[in-house]
Each structure stands twice: as structure tokens, then as C-alpha cells.
Amino acid sequence: MKYEYYKKEPISLFKAILRSITLFFLGIVIFVVGVMSYCNLFLSYYPVSGGSMRPLINATYDRGDFVYATKNISDVTYGDIIIYQKTEQTLVIKRVIAMGNDNLMLKEDNGEYAIYLQYNSTGEWQKLEEDYIYDKSYYNYTYSKLYHTNPKDTIEHIPASQFLTDENGNKYYHIDEGEIFYAGDNRLTSNDCFNYGSVSQENLVAKVVYLIHKDEPRIWQVIMQFLGIYKWR
């Protein structure tokens, strides 16, 4: 039997480079489309207004940053930024400070107030390190707000009867099981659990996954965060 062999015409160097570049950019396009499709199909989009989460989330009342958030809230924990259904018509974006069965107090530390937590109501009180608070003087106002030390202050506050006292006479607040305690990073303007106490986890709506700044390209920011190159939390 006679076989015929066909010699494949060699590809020129130019065509080989062109094909490689084409495949490279095609891969990037597919990746970008995939990431954005994931965001649009599996995440929820929330525009942010107000300044309670500054400086992390910069927002004004007419135009601001926005976030992508997941409805999977089973693993919400300390430090997470959440979307919470405060009232039937009001959603708020805040940071989780304490979880169910924790104890929380504010006390002086080297001339400044700081938040201390007793996790699961047991063990030593541990100082909460909040690197996202850029002005520590805000804690003085937070202390006044939590314990309502200024009787002339008409803002909403937690009733004194809800506080407990430790063996050293320090007042602390207990977060019940099934509740969370959240606060805005901008303690000076935020209306949060320091005003009205812990809230039920049942009204958690979503956990923030991606933060998009208004003055930067959306796709680029999502990709940087998706790859873990830029971390905002």
C-alpha cells in the first residue's frame, strides 16, 4: 500500500507571535468577562451614600462609592462590612464589631479611650485594634455616646439599665446570642449600635465582597481585588 505524506507549511515567526498575542488578549477578555459576569449574576450591587464609613468608603449624599456584596452571610464575623436592613425602607452599611454572647466596653488606654471585648463572655478583656479608624479622638465621642455621659445630648442612646458592671466597677454591654454589634468607621457621624444597642442577625442582608471607588475604573478594581492584589479589609 502506498502512503502519501503532506508536509505542513511552516508558520512564519511573525504569524506565530501574532497568534500568541491574540490568544493572550483573548484570554484576558474572557477572564474579565467572566469576573464581571460573576459579579452581576451572583453578587448584589449597592451604591453608598453618607459618610459613616469614611475614610474607607468615600461617599456624599448625591454621589459616592459603591460595593458588591454576597447574600451568603453564614460566615459573617468580626471586621466584616455588612449590609443591614435597619427598617423596612432603610439599608445601612456598617462594620461588625462584636458577635453574639460577647461583652463590650470602652475604657481609657494611655490617655485615650479604646474598645475592649470579652469574647464569648469568658476570659480576659482584649483591646480591639481598629486600624481603619483614622482619628482616635473619635473614641471620646463614642464613649460619651455609648454611656450617655452628657445629659444634654439628645441623640438616641442605650438605656442605662441595659449595662452590666464588672468587679472593677466598669460598665459593659452584653450582646445576646443571635445578635451582632456593628458600627461605622466614622464614629463621629455614624448612627449605629453605639446608639441603640445590638441587633438581630436575622436582618442581615449581605456581606461586602468588593469595594469600588467612584473615581477609578470599575473593572480594574474588581480584578485587582479578585486576584488578591489589592486588599481593602
Side-chain angles (χ1 to χ4, degrees):
M1 182 180 290
K2 187 177 179 181
Y3 294 95
E4 294 184 4
Y5 296 93
Y6 295 91
K7 189 175 180 181
K8 194 173 181 181
E9 184 180 348
I11 301 175
S12 67
L13 179 60
F14 173 75
K15 288 184 177 180
I17 294 175
L18 183 61
R19 177 181 293 182
S20 298
I21 293 175
T22 301
L23 290 175
F24 174 75
F25 282 104
L26 180 61
I28 290 178
V29 170
I30 293 174
F31 174 74
V32 171
V33 171
V35 171
M36 296 311 296
S37 297
Y38 164 76
C39 290
N40 293 324
L41 291 174
F42 300 104
L43 301 178
S44 300
Y45 162 90
Y46 296 93
V48 181
S49 63
S52 71
M53 286 300 293
R54 288 178 179 169
L56 178 64
I57 303 177
N58 298 304
T60 60
Y61 285 97
D62 57 344
R63 179 173 177 265
D65 296 343
F66 64 89
V67 297
Y68 282 114
T70 175
K71 294 296 180 70
N72 180 11
I73 54 176
S74 60
D75 60 345
V76 166
T77 189
Y78 304 93
D80 284 343
I81 295 179
I82 58 165
I83 309 295
Y84 190 86
Q85 189 84 50
K86 185 182 177 185
T87 67
E88 186 176 343
Q89 298 179 337
T90 304
L91 292 173
V92 296
I93 179 168
K94 305 291 180 184
R95 189 186 296 272
V96 176
I97 300 298
M99 304 289 291
N101 214 31
D102 287 345
N103 291 328
L104 177 149
M105 76 162 65
L106 264 79
K107 64 178 182 178
E108 201 169 356
D109 176 61
N110 294 324
E112 294 182 342
Y113 288 106
I115 296 174
Y116 283 80
L117 293 177
Q118 190 181 46
Y119 296 99
N120 207 32
S121 299
T122 59
E124 297 293 326
W125 287 91
Q126 299 182 41
K127 183 180 178 181
L128 182 63
E129 299 296 340
E130 296 187 287
D131 297 335
Y132 41 83
I133 305 292
Y134 72 98
D135 190 342
K136 301 300 182 183
S137 66
Y138 287 179
Y139 284 120
N140 296 332
Y141 176 72
T142 306
Y143 181 90
S144 173
K145 182 166 65 171
L146 178 64
Y147 297 117
H148 198 228
T149 57
N150 183 4
K152 295 182 180 180
D153 199 336
T154 58
I155 63 172
E156 183 180 10
H157 62 276
I158 303 172
S161 59
Q162 293 187 20
F163 289 93
L164 303 172
T165 305
D166 68 5
E167 62 277 7
N168 297 316
N170 297 311
K171 291 183 179 180
Y172 66 90
Y173 182 81
H174 177 75
I175 295 90
D176 290 334
E177 191 70 34
E179 296 190 342
I180 58 172
F181 194 101
Y182 60 64
D185 289 356
N186 184 357
R187 301 287 158 78
L188 197 61
T189 63
S190 177
N191 184 269
D192 49 43
C193 290
F194 283 110
N195 294 91
Y196 42 78
S198 54
V199 293
S200 173
Q201 280 189 263
E202 292 183 358
N203 292 330
L204 269 173
V205 175
K207 181 178 73 171
V208 173
V209 179
Y210 300 127
L211 165 62
I212 310 300
H213 293 297
K214 61 184 178 182
D215 298 325
E216 300 176 25
R218 179 190 308 188
I219 294 177
W220 176 249
Q221 292 183 78
V222 170
I223 291 174
M224 293 286 282
Q225 294 175 53
F226 182 84
L227 295 175
I229 298 172
Y230 169 61
K231 296 181 180 179
W232 51 269
R233 286 181 289 182

